[in-house]
Amino acid sequence: MKVVVIGVGQLGSDIVKSFEEEYEVIPLAHSDIEVSDYKSCEVLKGLKPDVVINTAAYHKTDECEDFPEKTFSVNALGARNIAKVCEEVGAVNIYISTDYVFDGEKDVPYSESDVPNPVNVYGVSKYAGEIFTRNISSRYYIFRVSSLFGVAGARGKGGNFVETMIKNAKNGVELKVVDDIVMSPTYTKDASMAMLKVLENELDYGTYHISNNGYCSWYEFAKAIFEITGMDASLKPITSDEYPTKARRPRNSSLSVEKLRKMGVEIRHWKSALRSYLEEKGHI
Ligand SMILES: NC(=O)c1ccc[n+]([C@@H]2O[C@H](COP(=O)([O-])OP(=O)(O)OC[C@H]3O[C@@H](n4cnc5c(N)ncnc54)[C@H](OP(=O)(O)O)[C@@H]3O)[C@@H](O)[C@H]2O)c1
């Protein structure tokens, strides 16, 4: 089976590593394909993939508020272009989506049957990407991931939360982290392995939440980083009112991975994943 991975950033690079164990993998960097340009997406035709995994995104959430056209052209129109070419070449289309499709008003983790209602430009554009994927693709998976941390760090965001916390703590910065926004931290290595299992086990096409198990606030996540590394950090919880951002954020965007678990794909707790990440990065 031939798998094309679009975007070799934080998640894409781990997908390439895990999928290479089983399949022929062709990674496409941004210099190889521009998803917002249909003509450029036609590069897929020559590659004749069985599966296309689209991790490309414009995802600086606050910046997206200022550049809605660019956000939609990459995240929504890009998804449409890829879906159309996948249909033409007969490939399974996999679109990587986000926990930010939800409004955060729910008090427990979101399941796949919950209705999206995004509250910022980025979230709306990714939800539009999901809709294009569903409406155009005869065979598709939408994998919603959240709060990623992986060795490569997000190219689009210039790193990840874990590295930012560690760097700032080393520099003696007093860290103030929001304690009233809850999410499911996700190790890209674990997410990639779960995606591989979905394909290997030929699970039903459709939408799946792929995050590490459990949830926490960003403050709790930061606290765990310093507990595991044993670093001495000055860390203080604050409310989101004390840290205003341009884009509204859902106060709860934690994801339930029950659907996957019932289908035989287990994902470990985020704390255990965080420890493995810190080991992989040489922080412990
Ligand atoms: N990071 C998170 O916490 C998070 C949370 C929820 C969902 N997600 C979703 O997960 C996916 C992967 O995130 P990530 O953290 O791995 O991001 P990343 O490290 O920024 O990787 C994205 C990759 O896509 C490429 N790319 C960007 N725009 C493109 C375009 N127009 N055409 C073709 N390639 C393009 C980037 O290349 P260049 O850097 O060279 O432009 C980069 O290699 C995204 O779909 C994102 O929406 C991420």
Side-chain angles (χ1 to χ4, degrees), residues 10-11 30 33-35 55 59 122 126 145 148 154-156:
Q10 182 168 233
L11 178 63
H30 202 166
I33 185 168
E34 171 51 63
V35 295
T55 77
H59 60 117
Y122 168 67
K126 292 294 282 189
V145 299
L148 297 178
R155 286 177 59 87

Side-chain angles (χ1 to χ4, degrees), residues 127-200:
Y127 186 40
E130 288 193 4
I131 295 169
F132 278 132
T133 303
R134 270 187 212 109
N135 289 351
I136 297 169
S137 303
S138 42
R139 293 182 302 150
Y140 73 88
Y141 291 108
I142 291 167
F143 293 143
R144 291 191 188 127
V145 299
S146 75
S147 310
L148 297 178
F149 56 97
V151 277
R155 286 177 59 87
K157 291 183 177 176
N160 65 42
F161 181 81
V162 184
E163 294 309 311
T164 304
M165 288 297 111
I166 289 174
K167 192 174 114 209
N168 285 337
K170 276 185 183 159
N171 291 337
V173 175
E174 192 198 346
L175 295 161
K176 293 176 182 169
V177 181
V178 290
D179 198 22
D180 58 356
I181 292 188
V182 170
M183 44 78 214
S184 298
T186 303
Y187 186 23
T188 48
K189 208 171 179 176
D190 288 359
S192 306
M193 287 308 297
M195 291 175 193
L196 181 61
K197 283 187 195 145
V198 169
L199 253 78
E200 277 179 343

Side-chain angles (χ1 to χ4, degrees), residues 46-257:
L47 299 173
K48 299 189 172 49
D50 300 295
V51 177
V52 173
I53 308 180
N54 177 15
T55 77
Y58 179 50
H59 60 117
K60 274 188 177 159
T61 310
D62 292 314
E63 235 178 70
C64 290
E65 297 293 309
D66 287 331
F67 302 104
E69 293 89 353
K70 179 179 175 186
T71 309
F72 271 75
S73 73
V74 178
N75 301 343
L77 187 58
R80 175 179 179 265
N81 291 338
I82 298 301
K84 287 187 77 159
V85 181
C86 281
E87 282 303 286
E88 284 188 52
V89 300
V92 173
N93 178 20
I94 301 183
Y95 178 65
I96 304 299
S97 189
T98 173
D99 52 330
Y100 273 20
V101 296
F102 295 115
D103 62 18
E105 294 304 315
K106 205 178 167 189
D107 288 326
V108 292
Y110 282 90
S111 68
E112 291 81 349
S113 56
D114 285 316
V115 180
N117 181 32
V119 295
N120 54 46
V121 169
Y122 168 67
V124 175
S125 73
K126 292 294 282 189
Y127 186 40
E130 288 193 4
I131 295 169
F132 278 132
T133 303
R134 270 187 212 109
N135 289 351
I136 297 169
S137 303
S138 42
R139 293 182 302 150
Y140 73 88
Y141 291 108
I142 291 167
F143 293 143
R144 291 191 188 127
V145 299
S146 75
S147 310
L148 297 178
F149 56 97
V151 277
R155 286 177 59 87
K157 291 183 177 176
N160 65 42
F161 181 81
V162 184
E163 294 309 311
T164 304
M165 288 297 111
I166 289 174
K167 192 174 114 209
N168 285 337
K170 276 185 183 159
N171 291 337
V173 175
E174 192 198 346
L175 295 161
K176 293 176 182 169
V177 181
V178 290
D179 198 22
D180 58 356
I181 292 188
V182 170
M183 44 78 214
S184 298
T186 303
Y187 186 23
T188 48
K189 208 171 179 176
D190 288 359
S192 306
M193 287 308 297
M195 291 175 193
L196 181 61
K197 283 187 195 145
V198 169
L199 253 78
E200 277 179 343
N201 299 352
E202 296 180 7
L203 297 194
D204 293 345
Y205 294 118
T207 303
Y208 292 87
H209 289 176
I210 299 189
S211 67
N212 278 114
N213 215 338
Y215 55 87
C216 59
S217 72
W218 287 102
Y219 168 75
E220 289 166 327
F221 189 38
K223 202 159 155 253
I225 295 166
F226 299 126
E227 272 164 14
I228 297 171
T229 55
M231 285 177 77
D232 196 14
S234 161
L235 177 66
K236 198 177 147 227
I238 55 168
T239 65
S240 40
D241 287 344
E242 293 172 81
Y243 186 73
T245 53
K246 189 159 249 178
R248 245 178 88 195
R249 271 140 172 99
R251 68 176 178 85
N252 167 33
S253 64
S254 58
L255 299 177
S256 162
V257 287

